[in-house]
Amino acid sequence: MSIFHRPVAFCICLLLAGCVQHIPIHPQRAAEFVPWVDEPPVHPLEAGDNLALRYMLNPELNNNSLPIGPDGRISLPLLGPVMAAGQTVEEFDARIRLRYASILRDPQVDVLVNSYGSARVYVGGEVKTQSVIDLKGPTNVLQAVLAAGGVIETGSLERVVLIRHRSDGKPMLRRINLKRYIGYADAKDNVLLQPNDMIYVTKSDIASFDLFIDQYLNKAIPMNRTLNLNTGANGMFY
């Protein structure tokens, strides 16, 4: 287990036990995180979601805003009301392609999600306000952190943790460097969120060191705060 993953696993447990204790998630050891893979959202469509449909060979049918109604149905060109709720985007896409096969010669249709009606992500750690944030449209990690009030002084923009559950239910962990994204617009740190993602902003090195001094030195032995303490790269005193 790496030095980085140990505090992350502990911090995630604290987050889940605090601001999002209503989520039925069991603590995971860092070693149990599986390799990160980019998969389409597995969140099923539901009433209130808003979709866009692109017809590759029939662009006159394109529609940029198709809300799913309270009954779970969506009104599609040439088909009328079609049940969408309870299906993933891929399942719904396959279903309407099959329905269009009797009407269009080559029904190439792409289904996109404009916004989710009730999908949420969870932001905790060293942010101003630990929050449950509604996904109203495409949202990346930086936008979610800003919606939670931004990173406080003790937080690290370079060590933001994103946890997502794979389609088989296993948790994945990814480290996001928001400092690099802000400074250089590095695309690999511009990660779009999916429903039920969890973001945790970890403490900075300086903040962790200050906490260590406070807990283990200031309260244990008399200490002159003007004493100059230095740490090496491995965190040891010298």
Side-chain angles (χ1 to χ4, degrees), residues 154-194:
T154 53
S156 172
L157 282 170
E158 299 174 281
R159 296 182 177 181
V160 178
V161 175
L162 173 62
I163 292 181
R164 174 179 298 167
H165 282 78
R166 212 166 58 178
S167 56
D168 59 7
K170 295 181 179 179
M172 304 180 291
L173 183 148
R174 179 169 179 171
R175 176 174 165 177
I176 307 294
N177 188 333
L178 290 182
K179 184 176 181 180
R180 181 170 56 200
Y181 175 58
I182 294 170
Y184 304 100
D186 195 323
K188 66 183 178 183
D189 294 304
N190 181 25
V191 180
L192 288 179
L193 298 173
Q194 295 185 11

Short mmCIF file of all heavy atoms in Angstrom, two decimals, residues 154-194:
data_model
loop_
_atom_site.label_atom_id
_atom_site.label_comp_id
_atom_site.label_asym_id
_atom_site.label_seq_id
_atom_site.Cartn_x
_atom_site.Cartn_y
_atom_site.Cartn_z
N THR A 154 -5.84 24.68 4.12
CA THR A 154 -5.16 23.45 4.49
C THR A 154 -5.26 22.36 3.43
O THR A 154 -4.71 21.28 3.60
CB THR A 154 -5.74 22.91 5.81
OG1 THR A 154 -7.17 22.79 5.67
CG2 THR A 154 -5.40 23.82 6.97
N GLY A 155 -5.98 22.64 2.34
CA GLY A 155 -6.18 21.63 1.31
C GLY A 155 -5.14 21.69 0.21
O GLY A 155 -4.45 22.69 0.03
N SER A 156 -5.05 20.61 -0.53
CA SER A 156 -4.09 20.51 -1.62
C SER A 156 -4.82 20.39 -2.96
O SER A 156 -5.55 19.43 -3.18
CB SER A 156 -3.19 19.28 -1.42
OG SER A 156 -2.38 19.07 -2.56
N LEU A 157 -4.60 21.35 -3.84
CA LEU A 157 -5.15 21.27 -5.19
C LEU A 157 -4.51 20.14 -5.99
O LEU A 157 -5.07 19.67 -6.97
CB LEU A 157 -4.93 22.59 -5.93
CG LEU A 157 -5.86 23.76 -5.57
CD1 LEU A 157 -5.35 25.04 -6.21
CD2 LEU A 157 -7.28 23.47 -6.04
N GLU A 158 -3.33 19.72 -5.57
CA GLU A 158 -2.59 18.70 -6.31
C GLU A 158 -3.00 17.29 -5.91
O GLU A 158 -2.64 16.33 -6.60
CB GLU A 158 -1.09 18.87 -6.08
CG GLU A 158 -0.55 20.21 -6.56
CD GLU A 158 0.91 20.40 -6.20
OE1 GLU A 158 1.18 20.73 -5.02
OE2 GLU A 158 1.76 20.19 -7.07
N ARG A 159 -3.74 17.15 -4.83
CA ARG A 159 -4.08 15.82 -4.32
C ARG A 159 -5.58 15.70 -4.10
O ARG A 159 -6.05 15.50 -2.98
CB ARG A 159 -3.33 15.53 -3.03
CG ARG A 159 -1.83 15.47 -3.21
CD ARG A 159 -1.13 15.12 -1.92
NE ARG A 159 0.30 15.00 -2.10
CZ ARG A 159 1.14 14.68 -1.14
NH1 ARG A 159 0.68 14.46 0.07
NH2 ARG A 159 2.43 14.59 -1.38
N VAL A 160 -6.32 15.81 -5.17
CA VAL A 160 -7.76 15.63 -5.10
C VAL A 160 -8.07 14.19 -5.52
O VAL A 160 -7.56 13.71 -6.53
CB VAL A 160 -8.49 16.63 -6.02
CG1 VAL A 160 -9.99 16.40 -5.98
CG2 VAL A 160 -8.14 18.06 -5.61
N VAL A 161 -8.86 13.52 -4.73
CA VAL A 161 -9.16 12.12 -4.98
C VAL A 161 -10.57 11.98 -5.53
O VAL A 161 -11.52 12.55 -4.99
CB VAL A 161 -9.03 11.31 -3.67
CG1 VAL A 161 -9.45 9.86 -3.89
CG2 VAL A 161 -7.59 11.37 -3.16
N LEU A 162 -10.70 11.22 -6.61
CA LEU A 162 -12.01 10.92 -7.19
C LEU A 162 -12.26 9.42 -7.06
O LEU A 162 -11.43 8.60 -7.47
CB LEU A 162 -12.04 11.33 -8.67
CG LEU A 162 -13.28 10.94 -9.47
CD1 LEU A 162 -14.53 11.58 -8.89
CD2 LEU A 162 -13.12 11.31 -10.93
N ILE A 163 -13.39 9.07 -6.47
CA ILE A 163 -13.76 7.66 -6.33
C ILE A 163 -15.05 7.42 -7.11
O ILE A 163 -16.01 8.18 -7.00
CB ILE A 163 -13.96 7.28 -4.85
CG1 ILE A 163 -12.61 7.31 -4.13
CG2 ILE A 163 -14.59 5.90 -4.72
CD1 ILE A 163 -12.69 6.93 -2.68
N ARG A 164 -15.01 6.39 -7.91
CA ARG A 164 -16.17 6.03 -8.74
C ARG A 164 -16.32 4.52 -8.73
O ARG A 164 -15.34 3.79 -8.66
CB ARG A 164 -15.94 6.52 -10.17
CG ARG A 164 -17.00 6.10 -11.18
CD ARG A 164 -16.68 6.67 -12.56
NE ARG A 164 -16.69 8.13 -12.54
CZ ARG A 164 -16.21 8.88 -13.52
NH1 ARG A 164 -15.66 8.31 -14.59
NH2 ARG A 164 -16.26 10.20 -13.44
N HIS A 165 -17.56 4.06 -8.77
CA HIS A 165 -17.79 2.62 -8.83
C HIS A 165 -17.93 2.16 -10.27
O HIS A 165 -18.67 2.75 -11.05
CB HIS A 165 -19.03 2.24 -8.02
CG HIS A 165 -18.77 2.21 -6.55
ND1 HIS A 165 -18.69 3.35 -5.78
CD2 HIS A 165 -18.52 1.17 -5.70
CE1 HIS A 165 -18.42 3.03 -4.53
NE2 HIS A 165 -18.31 1.72 -4.46
N ARG A 166 -17.17 1.12 -10.59
CA ARG A 166 -17.20 0.56 -11.93
C ARG A 166 -18.54 -0.12 -12.18
O ARG A 166 -19.34 -0.31 -11.26
CB ARG A 166 -16.04 -0.45 -12.06
CG ARG A 166 -15.44 -0.57 -13.43
CD ARG A 166 -14.13 -1.31 -13.38
NE ARG A 166 -14.25 -2.66 -12.82
CZ ARG A 166 -13.24 -3.50 -12.72
NH1 ARG A 166 -12.03 -3.14 -13.12
NH2 ARG A 166 -13.41 -4.70 -12.19
N SER A 167 -18.82 -0.51 -13.42
CA SER A 167 -20.10 -1.13 -13.75
C SER A 167 -20.32 -2.43 -12.99
O SER A 167 -21.47 -2.83 -12.77
CB SER A 167 -20.18 -1.39 -15.26
OG SER A 167 -19.10 -2.19 -15.70
N ASP A 168 -19.23 -3.09 -12.54
CA ASP A 168 -19.38 -4.31 -11.75
C ASP A 168 -19.47 -4.02 -10.26
O ASP A 168 -19.46 -4.94 -9.44
CB ASP A 168 -18.23 -5.28 -12.04
CG ASP A 168 -16.86 -4.68 -11.72
OD1 ASP A 168 -16.81 -3.56 -11.16
OD2 ASP A 168 -15.84 -5.32 -12.04
N GLY A 169 -19.54 -2.73 -9.90
CA GLY A 169 -19.70 -2.35 -8.50
C GLY A 169 -18.41 -2.14 -7.74
O GLY A 169 -18.44 -1.68 -6.59
N LYS A 170 -17.27 -2.45 -8.34
CA LYS A 170 -15.99 -2.30 -7.65
C LYS A 170 -15.52 -0.85 -7.70
O LYS A 170 -15.68 -0.18 -8.71
CB LYS A 170 -14.95 -3.23 -8.27
CG LYS A 170 -15.28 -4.71 -8.09
CD LYS A 170 -14.21 -5.60 -8.69
CE LYS A 170 -14.55 -7.07 -8.48
NZ LYS A 170 -13.53 -7.96 -9.08
N PRO A 171 -14.93 -0.36 -6.59
CA PRO A 171 -14.52 1.05 -6.53
C PRO A 171 -13.19 1.30 -7.23
O PRO A 171 -12.25 0.52 -7.13
CB PRO A 171 -14.40 1.30 -5.02
CG PRO A 171 -14.01 -0.03 -4.46
CD PRO A 171 -14.70 -1.06 -5.31
N MET A 172 -13.13 2.42 -7.94
CA MET A 172 -11.90 2.87 -8.58
C MET A 172 -11.48 4.18 -7.92
O MET A 172 -12.32 4.96 -7.47
CB MET A 172 -12.12 3.12 -10.08
CG MET A 172 -12.67 1.95 -10.84
SD MET A 172 -12.90 2.33 -12.61
CE MET A 172 -14.27 3.52 -12.55
N LEU A 173 -10.17 4.43 -7.87
CA LEU A 173 -9.64 5.66 -7.29
C LEU A 173 -8.74 6.34 -8.31
O LEU A 173 -7.90 5.69 -8.93
CB LEU A 173 -8.88 5.36 -6.01
CG LEU A 173 -8.31 6.57 -5.24
CD1 LEU A 173 -8.31 6.28 -3.74
CD2 LEU A 173 -6.88 6.88 -5.69
N ARG A 174 -8.93 7.65 -8.46
CA ARG A 174 -8.10 8.42 -9.39
C ARG A 174 -7.65 9.70 -8.71
O ARG A 174 -8.45 10.37 -8.06
CB ARG A 174 -8.89 8.74 -10.65
CG ARG A 174 -8.13 9.57 -11.68
CD ARG A 174 -8.89 9.60 -12.98
NE ARG A 174 -8.21 10.40 -14.00
CZ ARG A 174 -8.58 10.44 -15.27
NH1 ARG A 174 -9.61 9.72 -15.68
NH2 ARG A 174 -7.92 11.19 -16.14
N ARG A 175 -6.39 10.03 -8.85
CA ARG A 175 -5.86 11.27 -8.29
C ARG A 175 -5.92 12.37 -9.35
O ARG A 175 -5.47 12.18 -10.47
CB ARG A 175 -4.42 11.06 -7.83
CG ARG A 175 -3.75 12.32 -7.33
CD ARG A 175 -2.38 11.99 -6.75
NE ARG A 175 -1.57 13.19 -6.59
CZ ARG A 175 -0.36 13.19 -6.04
NH1 ARG A 175 0.16 12.07 -5.61
NH2 ARG A 175 0.32 14.31 -5.93
N ILE A 176 -6.51 13.50 -8.98
CA ILE A 176 -6.67 14.63 -9.88
C ILE A 176 -5.79 15.78 -9.41
O ILE A 176 -5.82 16.15 -8.23
CB ILE A 176 -8.14 15.11 -9.93
CG1 ILE A 176 -9.09 13.94 -10.24
CG2 ILE A 176 -8.31 16.24 -10.94
CD1 ILE A 176 -8.92 13.35 -11.61
N ASN A 177 -5.02 16.34 -10.31
CA ASN A 177 -4.16 17.48 -9.99
C ASN A 177 -4.82 18.75 -10.54
O ASN A 177 -4.62 19.12 -11.69
CB ASN A 177 -2.77 17.28 -10.61
CG ASN A 177 -1.78 18.34 -10.15
OD1 ASN A 177 -2.16 19.47 -9.80
ND2 ASN A 177 -0.50 18.00 -10.15
N LEU A 178 -5.62 19.40 -9.69
CA LEU A 178 -6.33 20.60 -10.14
C LEU A 178 -5.38 21.78 -10.35
O LEU A 178 -5.66 22.67 -11.16
CB LEU A 178 -7.42 20.98 -9.13
CG LEU A 178 -8.62 20.04 -9.07
CD1 LEU A 178 -9.64 20.55 -8.07
CD2 LEU A 178 -9.27 19.89 -10.45
N LYS A 179 -4.28 21.79 -9.62
CA LYS A 179 -3.30 22.87 -9.81
C LYS A 179 -2.73 22.81 -11.22
O LYS A 179 -2.57 23.84 -11.89
CB LYS A 179 -2.18 22.74 -8.78
CG LYS A 179 -1.16 23.87 -8.84
CD LYS A 179 -0.13 23.74 -7.73
CE LYS A 179 0.87 24.88 -7.76
NZ LYS A 179 1.88 24.76 -6.67
N ARG A 180 -2.45 21.62 -11.68
CA ARG A 180 -1.93 21.45 -13.04
C ARG A 180 -3.00 21.81 -14.07
O ARG A 180 -2.71 22.42 -15.10
CB ARG A 180 -1.46 20.00 -13.24
CG ARG A 180 -0.88 19.70 -14.61
CD ARG A 180 -0.25 18.33 -14.62
NE ARG A 180 -1.20 17.30 -14.20
CZ ARG A 180 -0.83 16.10 -13.75
NH1 ARG A 180 0.45 15.80 -13.63
NH2 ARG A 180 -1.74 15.21 -13.40
N TYR A 181 -4.24 21.44 -13.78
CA TYR A 181 -5.33 21.74 -14.71
C TYR A 181 -5.56 23.24 -14.82
O TYR A 181 -5.73 23.79 -15.92
CB TYR A 181 -6.62 21.05 -14.26
CG TYR A 181 -7.82 21.40 -15.10
CD1 TYR A 181 -7.83 21.16 -16.47
CD2 TYR A 181 -8.95 21.98 -14.53
CE1 TYR A 181 -8.92 21.48 -17.25
CE2 TYR A 181 -10.04 22.32 -15.30
CZ TYR A 181 -10.03 22.06 -16.66
OH TYR A 181 -11.12 22.40 -17.43
N ILE A 182 -5.54 23.93 -13.67
CA ILE A 182 -5.74 25.38 -13.67
C ILE A 182 -4.59 26.09 -14.37
O ILE A 182 -4.79 27.03 -15.14
CB ILE A 182 -5.89 25.90 -12.22
CG1 ILE A 182 -7.18 25.34 -11.59
CG2 ILE A 182 -5.90 27.43 -12.19
CD1 ILE A 182 -7.29 25.61 -10.11
N GLY A 183 -3.37 25.62 -14.13
CA GLY A 183 -2.20 26.29 -14.68
C GLY A 183 -1.92 25.99 -16.13
O GLY A 183 -1.49 26.86 -16.89
N TYR A 184 -2.20 24.74 -16.54
CA TYR A 184 -1.80 24.32 -17.88
C TYR A 184 -2.93 23.72 -18.70
O TYR A 184 -2.70 23.28 -19.83
CB TYR A 184 -0.66 23.30 -17.79
CG TYR A 184 0.53 23.81 -17.02
CD1 TYR A 184 0.74 23.44 -15.69
CD2 TYR A 184 1.45 24.68 -17.60
CE1 TYR A 184 1.82 23.91 -14.97
CE2 TYR A 184 2.54 25.16 -16.89
CZ TYR A 184 2.72 24.77 -15.58
OH TYR A 184 3.79 25.24 -14.87
N ALA A 185 -4.14 23.70 -18.14
CA ALA A 185 -5.30 23.13 -18.85
C ALA A 185 -5.01 21.72 -19.33
O ALA A 185 -5.33 21.34 -20.46
CB ALA A 185 -5.71 24.02 -20.02
N ASP A 186 -4.38 20.93 -18.46
CA ASP A 186 -4.03 19.56 -18.80
C ASP A 186 -5.31 18.73 -18.90
O ASP A 186 -6.05 18.58 -17.93
CB ASP A 186 -3.11 18.97 -17.72
CG ASP A 186 -2.44 17.69 -18.18
OD1 ASP A 186 -3.09 16.90 -18.88
OD2 ASP A 186 -1.26 17.48 -17.83
N ALA A 187 -5.58 18.19 -20.08
CA ALA A 187 -6.84 17.51 -20.34
C ALA A 187 -7.05 16.29 -19.45
O ALA A 187 -8.19 15.94 -19.13
CB ALA A 187 -6.92 17.10 -21.81
N LYS A 188 -5.97 15.63 -19.04
CA LYS A 188 -6.14 14.42 -18.24
C LYS A 188 -6.67 14.71 -16.84
O LYS A 188 -7.12 13.81 -16.15
CB LYS A 188 -4.83 13.64 -18.15
CG LYS A 188 -3.72 14.32 -17.40
CD LYS A 188 -2.46 13.46 -17.45
CE LYS A 188 -1.29 14.12 -16.75
NZ LYS A 188 -0.06 13.31 -16.86
N ASP A 189 -6.62 15.98 -16.43
CA ASP A 189 -7.18 16.36 -15.13
C ASP A 189 -8.55 17.00 -15.27
O ASP A 189 -9.15 17.41 -14.29
CB ASP A 189 -6.23 17.33 -14.41
CG ASP A 189 -4.93 16.66 -14.02
OD1 ASP A 189 -4.98 15.64 -13.33
OD2 ASP A 189 -3.86 17.15 -14.43
N ASN A 190 -9.05 17.08 -16.50
CA ASN A 190 -10.39 17.61 -16.74
C ASN A 190 -11.35 16.43 -16.85
O ASN A 190 -11.74 16.02 -17.94
CB ASN A 190 -10.40 18.44 -18.03
CG ASN A 190 -11.77 19.04 -18.31
OD1 ASN A 190 -12.57 19.24 -17.40
ND2 ASN A 190 -12.05 19.31 -19.56
N VAL A 191 -11.71 15.87 -15.71
CA VAL A 191 -12.52 14.65 -15.68
C VAL A 191 -13.98 15.02 -15.46
O VAL A 191 -14.33 15.68 -14.47
CB VAL A 191 -12.04 13.72 -14.55
CG1 VAL A 191 -12.89 12.45 -14.52
CG2 VAL A 191 -10.57 13.37 -14.74
N LEU A 192 -14.84 14.60 -16.38
CA LEU A 192 -16.28 14.84 -16.22
C LEU A 192 -16.84 13.85 -15.20
O LEU A 192 -16.51 12.66 -15.21
CB LEU A 192 -17.00 14.69 -17.55
CG LEU A 192 -16.76 15.80 -18.58
CD1 LEU A 192 -17.52 15.51 -19.87
CD2 LEU A 192 -17.18 17.16 -18.02
N LEU A 193 -17.69 14.36 -14.33
CA LEU A 193 -18.24 13.55 -13.26
C LEU A 193 -19.43 12.73 -13.73
O LEU A 193 -20.12 13.09 -14.68
CB LEU A 193 -18.66 14.45 -12.10
CG LEU A 193 -17.52 15.24 -11.45
CD1 LEU A 193 -18.07 16.21 -10.42
CD2 LEU A 193 -16.51 14.29 -10.79
N GLN A 194 -19.65 11.64 -13.01
CA GLN A 194 -20.80 10.79 -13.24
C GLN A 194 -21.60 10.71 -11.94
O GLN A 194 -21.07 10.98 -10.86
CB GLN A 194 -20.36 9.39 -13.68
CG GLN A 194 -19.66 9.37 -15.02
CD GLN A 194 -19.34 7.96 -15.49
OE1 GLN A 194 -19.81 6.98 -14.92
NE2 GLN A 194 -18.52 7.86 -16.53
#
